Amino acid sequence: MKIALLSYSTKPRGGVVHTLALAEALAALGEDVTVWTLGRGGDGGFFRPVDARVQLRIVPFPDGPGGEPVGERILRSIGVLRAAFDPAPYDVVHAQDCISANAVDGRCVRTVHHVDHFTTPELAACHERAVVEPYAHICVSRSVADELAVGWGLKPAVIPNGVAYDRFATTDPAARESWRARLGRYVLTVGGIEPRKGSLDLLEAYALLRSAHPGLRLVIAGGETLFDYRDYRARWEQRAAELGIRPVVLGQVAEEELPSLVAAAGAFAFPSVKEGFGLAAMEALAASVPLVVRELPVLREVFGSAARFAATPQDLAAELGSALTTDDPFRRAAGHALAARHTWAEAARRHLDFYGTLPAG
């Protein structure tokens, strides 16, 4: 089977991580897989090496004019990918985001990782078309599938993410100690500073937590995104100054260094207000790091007894404090077992089963 997996970026965002891991697992099963994406900022490759069995088509996406609005950048992204991609050679065209689904005018399978609510008109229209127009849908959790059922009358298949369990479960002790020597004791979050990640709530929680743990640091990794969150980031920085705290913002961390950064953390905070699965949080469980997540139905579904849950900044501070000071072998064992069950090989087999149900042509 010839399969095209379409994404919008080469950077380590959740959907891109998903795309590459799925492509590699499908190729390992003997399928002919090509990943198409946009190379932003001069990128000619992905953020990590990709299995040679996967073909890569990275379409150059030149920088736009200074101050290019988000809406115009979205429309330009769609147009550039549409002009480059020819669906004719493929048995399955599978888009992982609204940009790539729009680039093929909805003639695709679409994985809806989570449902967004945009205010930028071009983004809102892009999101709506990318839900309505594809002829088949996959979601990574039952909660998101239920949102599509209620909001659009769709019946998506549910195929959870895999996780690179071994990468996070077997990190180098020296690499972990190197992070601890550099950062001290820390709470980690991965995903950057943006509204969906609950970054302002995490600031408030950290300010409360620091009073009981004066040497503790808040470390934030990741964050490359297509969207413009400058105003939110400015509010976040202003609030940090008001609270008298200085989180450590690492930005994008090299792929080979990320597992040890995660494993060296005292706790992992995942206060997102909108998620479809929570891959970064699942990686923390693989690394035996105590996990505190937002009280959301989807995160209850995915993490169950393996995580602690918090609805407010006050709850988040309290649960992080407990995670830092209380050894919980039951949650740790549950987290290991949960992460180990979510393999990309199983996700790939389920995708192939699903592709087999699609109408020919």
Side-chain angles (χ1 to χ4, degrees), residues 115-189:
V115 177
D116 279 308
H117 300 282
F118 294 114
T119 56
T120 302
E122 295 88 347
L123 265 174
C126 173
H127 179 273
E128 182 70 13
R129 287 194 301 269
V131 172
V132 172
E133 294 182 357
Y135 63 84
H137 300 78
I138 295 171
C139 293
V140 293
S141 60
R142 171 53 54 192
S143 295
V144 177
D146 289 345
E147 285 188 77
L148 294 191
V150 171
W152 289 271
L154 300 173
K155 296 181 179 179
V158 177
I159 305 177
N161 274 318
V163 62
Y165 178 82
D166 289 341
R167 282 188 66 232
F168 287 86
T170 56
T171 55
D172 177 21
R176 295 197 300 271
E177 288 308 312
S178 176
W179 280 114
R180 290 175 181 142
R182 174 181 170 185
L183 299 171
R185 195 173 189 221
Y186 60 92
V187 169
L188 176 68
T189 192

Side-chain angles (χ1 to χ4, degrees), residues 9-22:
S9 177
T10 57
K11 307 296 186 184
R13 297 292 288 183
V16 181
V17 171
H18 172 108
T19 303
L20 294 182
L22 176 60

Side-chain angles (χ1 to χ4, degrees), residues 92-354:
V92 174
V93 175
H94 187 166
Q96 297 290 332
D97 53 79
C98 74
I99 288 172
S100 58
N102 276 258
V104 295
D105 298 316
R107 294 173 294 181
C108 60
V109 177
R110 167 80 200 285
T111 292
V112 180
H113 293 271
H114 60 270
V115 177
D116 279 308
H117 300 282
F118 294 114
T119 56
T120 302
E122 295 88 347
L123 265 174
C126 173
H127 179 273
E128 182 70 13
R129 287 194 301 269
V131 172
V132 172
E133 294 182 357
Y135 63 84
H137 300 78
I138 295 171
C139 293
V140 293
S141 60
R142 171 53 54 192
S143 295
V144 177
D146 289 345
E147 285 188 77
L148 294 191
V150 171
W152 289 271
L154 300 173
K155 296 181 179 179
V158 177
I159 305 177
N161 274 318
V163 62
Y165 178 82
D166 289 341
R167 282 188 66 232
F168 287 86
T170 56
T171 55
D172 177 21
R176 295 197 300 271
E177 288 308 312
S178 176
W179 280 114
R180 290 175 181 142
R182 174 181 170 185
L183 299 171
R185 195 173 189 221
Y186 60 92
V187 169
L188 176 68
T189 192
V190 174
I193 299 166
E194 59 184 75
R196 187 171 70 85
K197 296 299 182 181
S199 303
L200 279 167
D201 279 356
L202 184 55
L203 267 188
E204 301 288 346
Y206 173 59
L208 295 170
L209 184 63
R210 195 183 58 156
S211 61
H213 302 268
L216 185 71
R217 305 181 86 174
L218 173 62
V219 177
I220 302 168
E224 142 63 37
T225 178
L226 179 65
F227 309 129
D228 185 356
Y229 296 127
R230 282 174 294 185
D231 289 346
Y232 186 87
R233 176 67 178 263
R235 293 201 303 275
W236 184 90
E237 291 174 347
Q238 178 181 350
R239 186 57 181 152
E242 292 169 353
L243 292 168
I245 56 180
R246 298 181 65 182
V248 179
V249 182
L250 296 176
Q252 184 176 329
V253 174
E255 180 72 0
E256 66 273 13
E257 296 178 2
L258 181 61
S260 56
L261 172 69
V262 174
F268 193 93
F270 199 70
S272 296
V273 299
K274 178 71 68 172
E275 284 292 341
F277 180 84
L279 183 54
M282 193 67 75
E283 292 167 344
L285 292 183
S288 297
V289 177
L291 173 65
V292 182
V293 305
R294 176 83 64 173
E295 179 65 78
L296 296 176
V298 62
L299 298 182
R300 281 281 180 186
E301 173 195 340
V302 173
F303 294 104
S305 62
R308 299 172 182 268
F309 293 85
T312 67
Q314 292 75 19
D315 295 342
L316 185 58
E319 294 296 343
L320 284 168
S322 294
L324 288 164
T325 57
T326 305
D327 182 41
D328 193 335
F330 173 80
R331 277 198 179 94
R332 185 166 58 249
H336 265 287
L338 180 65
R341 285 200 303 272
H342 284 84
T343 70
W344 284 111
E346 176 61 18
R349 285 191 288 268
R350 292 181 64 178
H351 275 80
L352 287 178
D353 290 343
F354 180 76

